Amino acid sequence: EPMTAPTRQMPGRHVDPRRSFWVLGYVAPAIAPLLLALHWLGAPSAILAIAPLVLLFGVAPVLDQLVGRDLRNVPPDAIAQLEADPFYKRLLYGTVAAYAMGVVAACALAASPSFSIADQVLFAIGIGFTHSLIVLVAHELGHSAASRDQHVAQLALMLMAYGHFGVEHNRGHHVKIATPDDPASSRFNESIYAFALREIPGTVAGAIGAERRRLRRRGAGWWSPGNVLLQNWSGSALFAGLLAWAFGWPVLVFYALHCATVWFSITMANYTAHYGLLRREVDGRPEPCRADHSWSSSFLVSNLLFLNLQRHADHHMHARRPFQTLAHRGDTPDLPAGIPGLFCLMLVPPLWFRVMNPRLLAHVGHDMTRINTGPLRESPGTRPVPQT
């Protein structure tokens, strides 16, 4: 049953009902160091290699369903208090440091002579999915107006060679969401694989274009020291060089597959956020973004792990609002599971379409003018839209 009971609190002081549980964010970066310790104790390499995949695609979806949904919101008069609480910012900063140690531990484990090539591939994919959660930390800090938060967000993205995300997400996705022009908004009957082939290069190209325009407005060229993308990419190259120095050049193959999996994992998260939803054009411009242009989910465990990313509609309505105060909204379409369960679902496209398409059609009242089918020209990777 959904958790809806009010939280007990002292007069004049509001307490985050999930405050003591946010430290679960440290579970993901702790997995690689824990597996490295088990390796030193003699645990079989094959078990260690497959463990992250089992945790994400096996344990996490089950826990989500067992614990259930949490519909509780922070009272409006408590939002300012929780936003000012330094606990949450310290939590995010500490998580970035933990992920840095996690990547180093993962590379140390993968470089072990007992790890076969198959072990390395499985482990790179599994730990890559796990480490993708650092992008959500960077996402949170990247929406902050504080320069220090912006710098820490850049450092977080450098660890995963994903530096373009902050540029494209803030300057592109939040402007274009739920339109055919947004590479990060998935379309009706578009599989995750077709979406990835469009989203990944589209977001990189979007970031390059946005940064080029920003530099041009400032009278600077592409090779300016102020180029945020070059700063991020240089930081990633430096980090990769340090890993190679510590564990040998072959570890860069593992690290590249690890980072590629991080990219694909974020693509999967994007796929769930606006699937098939459309902001219609009014006077030649997309209508204002509303809560019903984003899918949301209220499953407690995955919201704790993913920093309330699944309260996505409220995030797009209040982009500066920190994760601890994002609200569950009743005016948004609801996803059938948390992100780990949705990941399992989307990897089998016919199953995804069977579950999600009826939900989408019901949400828009079978009005095809409210569904994102892509541009008017035929879009590669999409299936014909049924007439309703």
Side-chain angles (χ1 to χ4, degrees), residues 179-241:
T179 68
D181 293 332
D182 181 25
S185 292
S186 56
R187 300 165 182 170
F188 183 58
N189 273 337
E190 183 178 35
S191 73
I192 179 57
Y193 307 106
F195 176 63
L197 292 175
R198 183 172 64 85
E199 190 260 5
I200 292 175
T203 54
V204 173
I208 291 173
E211 185 63 3
R212 195 184 298 276
R213 290 189 293 273
R214 185 186 73 86
L215 292 170
R216 189 181 299 124
R217 288 194 299 269
R218 296 191 172 194
W222 176 257
W223 299 105
S224 165
N227 186 322
V228 174
L229 294 178
L230 294 183
Q231 293 172 5
N232 277 276
W233 294 338
S234 298
S236 296
L238 176 61
F239 184 61

Side-chain angles (χ1 to χ4, degrees), residues 34 51 62 64 71 74 78 103 118 122 133 141 191 196 199 203 217 228 262 277 310 319 331 371-372 381:
L34 175 60
V62 172
D64 237 0
L71 309 183
V74 174
V103 175
L122 280 175
L133 275 65
L141 293 171
S191 73
E199 190 260 5
T203 54
R217 288 194 299 269
V228 174
V262 170
L277 299 173
Q310 300 172 143
D331 54 350
I371 289 182
N372 181 4

